[in-house]
Amino acid sequence: MTSRQWAKISTFQKFRENLVVKSLLVCASISVLTTLGIIFILLEESLQFFQHVSVFEFLGSTEWAPLFEPRSFGVLPLISGTLLIAFGALIFALPIGLGIAVYTSQYAQGWWQKILKPVLEILAGIPSVVYGYFAITRVTPMLQFLLDDVEVFNAASASIVIAIMVLPTIASICDDSLRAVPKTVKDGAYALGARKSEVIISIVVPSALSGILASFILAFSRAIGETMAVTLAAGGTPNMTLNPFEGVQAMTAYIAQVSLGDVAHGTIEYRSIFAVGLVLFLMTLVMNLLSQYIVKRYARKYE
């Protein structure tokens, strides 16, 4: 092959590599621009909302009734309902998810190990509206059978189905973190006479702590951002309560309610969904930043 032919092939390869790099740059730019566009819209509409409603009233009042007279715009009941459902979901999901990860990464063997994790991740593919109807038709009647004074729409029912939804996130990330612990570290503990349970509790789990904590925070972000299941299971009553068996309204549920089209565009009620969305965005952003900090701060590096 002549030098001219080699030069043509080299030029074509460079062109192809540049095309791939630019295509990837375009894809990355689209995601960044989309995020910036969402932030811009949230800020623009929220600023117009706060021209009519004080920030102190919005963040400090415990009355939320933007669709009724006299109107009140205290977002605390929505935040309270969101956190009540999210923390309730984590109470169920965290120990179960970590237990599943420990079993799949340390105990399961053979074909059972290969199919258990993919089957668990199928839960992530079920539509959230299905979880919502499951909460109404199965979870809530079960709670009413076991306990008294459980309302038809309640935070506990929403927490249970949200816990099922975030289980794949917790179990998958924890499983990867536990598997990342080097075998030599575990073998050293076995050489000192430790039992398998002692190695897992004292060596493996602490070594994977950064990934485990990150999975918990990401699951919390997933829980506070869920819409349909929460809307169907918890109801639409902005109630500032700590009783999980009462109906509450989450921030996402209010956004879904107003977005149905019954509120006129450009009104203060319409712009309130952007203010609520901004609060939800900031909460999720803080959780994601905290997750990244924990991973960097507590990650253990093995040579």
Side-chain angles (χ1 to χ4, degrees):
M1 187 176 293
T2 64
S3 59
R4 180 175 296 180
Q5 290 174 326
W6 276 112
K8 288 182 179 180
I9 294 175
S10 177
T11 303
F12 175 74
Q13 290 178 342
K14 290 181 179 179
F15 171 77
R16 187 173 60 180
E17 290 177 0
N18 290 333
L19 182 62
V20 171
V21 171
K22 290 181 180 179
S23 300
L24 295 175
L25 177 61
V26 170
C27 294
S29 300
I30 290 174
S31 62
V32 172
L33 292 175
T34 301
T35 303
L36 293 176
I38 293 173
I39 295 174
F40 174 77
I41 293 173
L42 284 176
L43 290 176
E44 181 185 26
E45 296 289 344
S46 298
L47 288 175
Q48 296 185 42
F49 171 80
F50 288 122
Q51 290 177 357
H52 300 86
V53 179
S54 169
V55 176
F56 298 102
E57 177 188 354
F58 181 71
L59 297 177
S61 176
T62 58
E63 296 289 334
W64 180 261
L67 305 179
F68 306 99
E69 294 291 346
R71 295 188 179 92
S72 56
F73 296 93
V75 77
L76 287 181
L78 299 185
I79 297 177
S80 171
T82 300
L83 295 179
L84 180 63
I85 294 171
F87 281 115
L90 293 185
I91 290 174
F92 291 105
L94 296 188
I96 297 176
L98 180 57
I100 292 173
V102 170
Y103 178 76
T104 56
S105 63
Q106 306 299 318
Y107 288 101
Q109 297 179 354
W111 63 271
W112 179 240
Q113 183 184 36
K114 294 179 181 179
I115 68 170
L116 185 59
K117 187 176 179 181
V119 169
L120 178 65
E121 292 177 349
I122 292 176
L123 293 174
I126 300 176
S128 60
V129 66
V130 175
Y131 283 105
Y133 280 113
F134 175 73
I136 295 174
T137 59
R138 292 293 181 267
V139 178
T140 297
M142 179 184 66
L143 292 176
Q144 291 176 331
F145 176 77
L146 296 174
L147 302 168
D148 297 329
D149 301 327
V150 177
E151 298 181 2
V152 175
F153 300 103
N154 58 86
S157 180
S159 295
I160 292 173
V161 295
I162 296 299
I164 298 173
M165 294 178 68
V166 301
L167 265 181
T169 299
I170 297 175
S172 179
I173 298 177
C174 289
D175 179 271
D176 294 337
S177 300
L178 294 171
R179 290 179 187 274
V181 178
K183 187 175 182 296
T184 53
V185 176
K186 295 183 287 186
D187 289 342
Y190 287 129
L192 295 175
R195 295 189 299 269
K196 188 165 187 175
S197 59
E198 294 174 334
V199 172
I200 293 173
I201 295 173
S202 303
I203 304 297
V204 178
V205 172
S207 298
L209 187 60
S210 63
I212 293 172
L213 293 178
S215 73
F216 293 171
I217 296 174
L218 291 177
F220 181 77
S221 300
R222 175 77 171 84
I224 66 175
E226 178 52 42
T227 303
M228 287 307 302
V230 170
T231 303
L232 293 173
T237 304
N239 184 19
M240 195 168 179
T241 179
L242 295 177
N243 186 355
F245 303 113
E246 294 182 3
V248 296
Q249 186 175 41
M251 290 185 283
T252 52
Y254 172 74
I255 295 173
Q257 176 189 359
V258 176
S259 300
L260 294 177
D262 296 332
V263 176
H265 182 276
T267 61
I268 187 173
E269 298 91 341
Y270 171 80
R271 291 196 172 100
S272 67
I273 67 174
F274 293 94
V276 174
L278 180 61
V279 174
L280 184 61
F281 171 78
L282 292 176
M283 291 175 61
T284 307
L285 178 63
V286 170
M287 290 296 102
N288 290 336
L289 293 177
L290 180 60
S291 174
Q292 294 180 8
Y293 169 77
I294 288 176
V295 171
K296 293 180 180 179
R297 175 66 176 79
Y298 296 101
R300 295 189 179 183
K301 296 181 180 180
Y302 300 95
E303 297 296 338

